Amino acid sequence: MRVVLIAPGPVDHAIACANGLAPHAEVTLIAPARLYAGLERWLDPRITLRLIGWPRTRSPRNLAMLGRVMTLVRRARPDVIHVLSNTTVWLNAIAPLLRAQAPLITTVHDVTPHPGDRETLQLPDWTARLMARQSGDLVVHGAGLRDGAARRFDKPPSRVHVLPHPAITRYAEAACDMRPTPPAPGLRVLLFGRMFAYKGVDDLLRAEALLGDRIPGLQLVLAGRGDDPNDLSGLMGDPGRYRIHHGFIADDHASRLFLDCDVVVLPYAEASQSGVLMIAATFGKPVIVTDVGELGSTVRAAGAGLVVPPRDPAALADAMALLHDDPALRDRLGQAAAAWADGPLRPDHVGAGMVALYALIRQKRDPLGRTDAPRIRQPD
């Protein structure tokens, strides 16, 4: 099967999907050079990588970009075209042309925008809705998201499919050559990623303040771009416990942070799924997550961590104290996380599921682009 992936982002998800598909299909990955340049070494050599100029949203040069995309798609002669995010503006203009080439599938990472996510909210919401509606089929990362996506994007539920987010392995692979920092008393807790309101940074700080002296040697590392956690210093119990890395986190630095932490915390006030969770699992790190979106059900099923109610700093504090006080529990959860990453979430395992889904979708499409008639195979 020939598959074209169009990947405006997120980068780590796109790399994991492409690598997972490579053993099962002939994959062409079309992606913005400004986001993916320098990451070629993390891609399976069987993938045909096409890095192209992808201008900022308001640039008229996007018209040339669209022409380039269509040229590359036609050359690849795909059986399936999969756009790996619906948060794109200009691809809406060629969605009908893409559908004429092959079944068009789009992954929806977030059914609704996250509160306070200034980066995503820079794009008009109608553009994300339109891309999803113009696609024949949608992919979401959890059963709990299917009905919401069907309603929001006016799709029959049979056209919204659930595939797991594949494990993001490249940070753990980079860490193989790193020497871990010697263990220290206490607990090293990592909050990683974009620091916006939905991430629950304020709840983590309140939880730390509630802990008092329950965890001697507690260290909290907050790393990522977005809002500056230092602006919330008034909520901290002991500012000396914090190591804040505000801004872009280079790949090697990210690998080091995950390697050295004891626990990864995701205290989100709102979420659908999380790429951070898919990194933590590859390091065998237990997690503490809030029961929002698909996080709670996903972590419970995998046995990879503890689940607490959202917006409950006291419960979050108790979970951190429990993992500090019970190292054996921490080890069991970490081992389950590693087995999860190397089993159901392993990219080639997820890739096999993607190919099976593509085959099912192709069976329901005919050469005119209708989605429910048997397909008549045309000569190559």
Side-chain angles (χ1 to χ4, degrees):
M1 185 182 294
R2 294 186 295 270
V3 179
V4 166
L5 301 177
I6 303 178
V11 171
D12 287 329
H13 170 262
I15 290 173
C17 284
N19 286 341
L21 278 171
H24 310 291
E26 183 179 318
V27 181
T28 298
L29 175 62
I30 303 173
R34 60 183 170 83
L35 296 180
Y36 290 78
L39 299 177
E40 294 90 343
R41 66 191 178 107
W42 298 115
L43 286 166
D44 189 301
R46 290 171 287 190
I47 296 167
T48 300
L49 177 62
R50 303 299 188 194
L51 296 182
I52 64 174
W54 199 294
R56 301 293 179 179
T57 300
R58 296 185 179 182
S59 172
R61 291 183 293 122
N62 279 287
L63 294 172
M65 178 271 289
L66 296 178
R68 180 64 174 155
V69 169
M70 286 306 306
T71 296
L72 293 173
V73 167
R74 291 187 179 107
R75 286 179 184 172
R77 298 186 300 127
D79 297 301
V80 169
I81 301 168
H82 191 166
V83 179
L84 293 177
S85 173
N86 66 315
T87 52
T88 177
V89 175
W90 285 87
L91 289 181
N92 280 293
I94 59 170
L97 300 178
L98 294 172
R99 287 201 313 269
Q101 296 294 313
L104 178 62
I105 305 161
T106 294
T107 292
V108 176
H109 294 275
D110 300 308
V111 176
T112 57
H114 296 308
D117 182 353
R118 297 193 310 274
E119 292 180 352
T120 301
L121 292 174
Q122 288 177 355
L123 301 177
D125 184 53
W126 67 264
T127 62
R129 295 198 311 271
L130 182 59
M131 190 66 215
R133 289 174 177 174
Q134 291 197 94
S135 302
D137 293 79
L138 303 179
V139 167
V140 295
H141 294 314
L145 302 173
R146 175 190 279 142
D147 289 344
R151 289 192 302 269
R152 178 167 166 76
F153 304 118
D154 194 24
K155 292 287 183 200
S158 62
R159 287 291 167 186
V160 183
H161 312 277
V162 178
L163 287 173
H165 191 308
I168 297 171
T169 62
R170 68 186 185 93
Y171 298 98
E173 291 167 4
C176 289
D177 297 328
M178 297 180 179
R179 181 174 299 177
T181 300
L187 191 72
R188 294 173 293 187
V189 178
L190 174 64
L191 174 62
F192 184 85
R194 301 184 303 161
M195 300 291 167
F196 293 122
Y198 73 95
K199 296 296 283 283
V201 178
D202 55 338
D203 290 324
L204 178 60
L205 272 55
R206 290 187 176 96
E208 177 271 324
L210 290 172
L211 280 166
D213 298 327
R214 291 171 66 184
I215 306 180
L218 174 65
Q219 183 179 108
L220 293 98
V221 179
L222 282 65
R225 66 184 191 274
D227 300 332
D228 188 349
N230 289 297
D231 294 340
L232 300 174
S233 59
L235 300 177
M236 298 176 183
D238 180 359
R241 290 171 164 170
Y242 291 84
R243 303 291 182 270
I244 294 176
H245 307 276
H246 179 233
F248 173 76
I249 307 298
D251 289 354
D252 287 348
H253 188 190
S255 295
R256 169 58 65 185
L257 293 175
F258 279 94
L259 182 65
D260 287 347
C261 75
D262 299 310
V263 177
V264 177
V265 63
L266 293 83
Y268 297 179
E270 189 274 343
S272 51
Q273 191 51 272
S274 171
V276 175
L277 179 60
M278 305 308 161
I279 300 173
T282 65
F283 281 85
K285 301 297 181 178
V287 297
I288 302 171
V289 305
T290 46
D291 200 0
V292 294
E294 292 295 295
L295 294 183
S297 59
T298 299
V299 169
R300 287 191 191 98
L306 303 180
V307 181
V308 300
R311 291 299 189 190
D312 191 339
L316 183 56
D318 289 342
M320 288 191 284
L322 175 60
L323 291 185
H324 168 262
D325 296 340
D326 193 343
L329 172 62
R330 200 164 68 225
D331 288 344
R332 287 198 302 273
L333 295 175
Q335 290 167 9
W340 182 44
D342 197 39
L345 295 188
R346 199 174 66 200
D348 65 323
H349 185 94
V350 176
M354 294 172 71
V355 167
L357 173 62
Y358 297 159
L360 178 66
I361 290 170
R362 288 180 61 207
Q363 289 174 2
K364 297 180 179 180
R365 172 189 163 104
D366 72 359
L368 298 179
R370 295 176 302 220
T371 56
D372 293 315
R375 183 178 183 183
I376 302 172
R377 179 66 180 174
Q378 297 297 300
D380 289 336

